Amino acid sequence: MKTKIGIVLSGGGARGIGHLGMLKALEEFGIKASHVSGTSAGAIAAAFYAAGYSANEILTILKKGQIFNFSNLLIKRQGLFAMKGFHDIYSECFPTNSFDDLKIPLYIAATDILKGELVYFSSGNLSQAIMASSCLPLLFQPVNYNNTLYVDGGVMNNFPIEPLMGQCDIIIGSYVNSIKKEVDKVGMNNILDRCFHLAMKSSVEQKTHSCNLYFEPPNMSQFSLYNLKNADEIFEYSYQHALTFENQIKALNIHF
């Protein structure tokens, strides 16, 4: 009987490119998910993956569309930006803009900022769900959808494993926010980043015990949360890390 494999992808801004390196390694090991879940940057990667794009194709799309490149927004400091700019990219890549046309079931986590609740999208308007999940607070205006306002899913759940529990035989997790512990100084742009991921660390760690395979490339804080200039380096760094898991993957005895 075919093994049902779930993949969960964390948020992480530009570091979300690291998920693609992991997905490329899984492709080469012959592993394909039957379900996928993601938040923020992980939701973006998960949506393209669920639509059938390869890791290399997703990397090309994200670099061309500058989807994870927020550094120019930070410099301008003109208040909050709208996420509408990303809509055209998603419309081009997902022609019907619907969860129904994805090749595998997808779950996207977002934070309903008015109700103070976590929401999982798994049907309906795909681009709205992606934009809601990846709407970084302090950078973007909340996304107005379904008569409420949404911000980044990572605010309430940066590792949305829950939708996969109970319906997958094997769960593979990818977390791209490992923090370097010994640092001499922290820039202003990185303080929010470090505080946010330190605050999330314990809840994420508890959930990693439910993963049969867990990828967390070390020292990802060497890469900016806001800047795509290291996209190829992040991709390769994560890919090489994932390749070291070949024996653990074989030990899972996955049936295709």
Side-chain angles (χ1 to χ4, degrees), residues 146-162:
N146 288 347
N147 299 315
T148 189
L149 297 176
Y150 293 97
V151 297
D152 198 293
V155 170
M156 292 191 72
N157 190 347
N158 207 26
F159 196 71
I161 194 173
E162 291 81 0

Side-chain angles (χ1 to χ4, degrees), residues 121-244:
F121 294 107
S122 58
S123 62
N125 187 310
L126 182 58
S127 66
Q128 286 287 355
I130 299 169
M131 289 189 292
S133 180
S134 58
C135 184
L136 287 170
L138 308 181
L139 273 186
F140 294 103
Q141 297 164 2
V143 171
N144 192 332
Y145 179 49
N146 288 347
N147 299 315
T148 189
L149 297 176
Y150 293 97
V151 297
D152 198 293
V155 170
M156 292 191 72
N157 190 347
N158 207 26
F159 196 71
I161 194 173
E162 291 81 0
L164 307 178
M165 306 284 283
Q167 61 176 335
C168 296
D169 305 308
I170 284 172
I171 295 178
I172 297 172
S174 178
Y175 186 71
V176 291
N177 300 296
S178 54
I179 298 169
K180 187 177 180 183
K181 293 293 176 63
E182 299 81 23
V183 292
D184 299 323
K185 60 181 188 296
V186 180
M188 283 304 293
N189 282 351
N190 293 328
I191 286 176
L192 182 64
D193 170 23
R194 277 181 81 81
C195 289
F196 182 69
H197 291 112
L198 285 167
M200 298 291 295
K201 193 163 172 49
S202 61
S203 66
V204 170
E205 273 180 357
Q206 286 177 331
K207 291 193 272 191
T208 62
H209 299 305
S210 298
C211 295
N212 302 87
L213 203 63
Y214 176 65
F215 296 92
E216 185 180 324
N219 189 19
M220 286 294 281
S221 54
Q222 68 181 293
F223 302 115
S224 168
L225 187 72
Y226 311 107
N227 200 313
L228 263 181
K229 71 174 188 290
N230 296 115
D232 292 324
E233 190 183 342
I234 296 169
F235 183 84
E236 184 64 22
Y237 181 75
S238 176
Y239 170 65
Q240 292 299 333
H241 174 72
L243 288 179
T244 67

Side-chain angles (χ1 to χ4, degrees), residues 9 15 26 44 99 119 129 140 157 165 181 216 222 252:
L9 306 178
R15 294 179 201 132
L26 291 183
I44 296 170
F99 279 80
V119 174
F140 294 103
N157 190 347
M165 306 284 283
K181 293 293 176 63
E216 185 180 324
Q222 68 181 293
L252 292 174

Side-chain angles (χ1 to χ4, degrees), residues 50-101:
Y53 289 93
S54 72
N56 283 106
E57 287 170 339
I58 302 168
L59 178 65
T60 301
I61 292 165
L62 298 188
K63 282 166 60 181
K64 183 182 173 192
Q66 294 286 295
I67 284 182
F68 293 141
N69 204 6
F70 309 125
S71 55
N72 57 335
L73 302 185
L74 291 170
I75 292 163
K76 289 176 186 171
R77 298 197 187 281
Q78 294 170 342
L80 297 175
F81 291 78
M83 294 221 66
K84 290 198 293 282
F86 299 120
H87 183 265
D88 292 344
I89 298 165
Y90 299 141
S91 298
E92 190 179 325
C93 296
F94 309 116
T96 62
N97 196 21
S98 171
F99 279 80
D100 294 339
D101 295 304

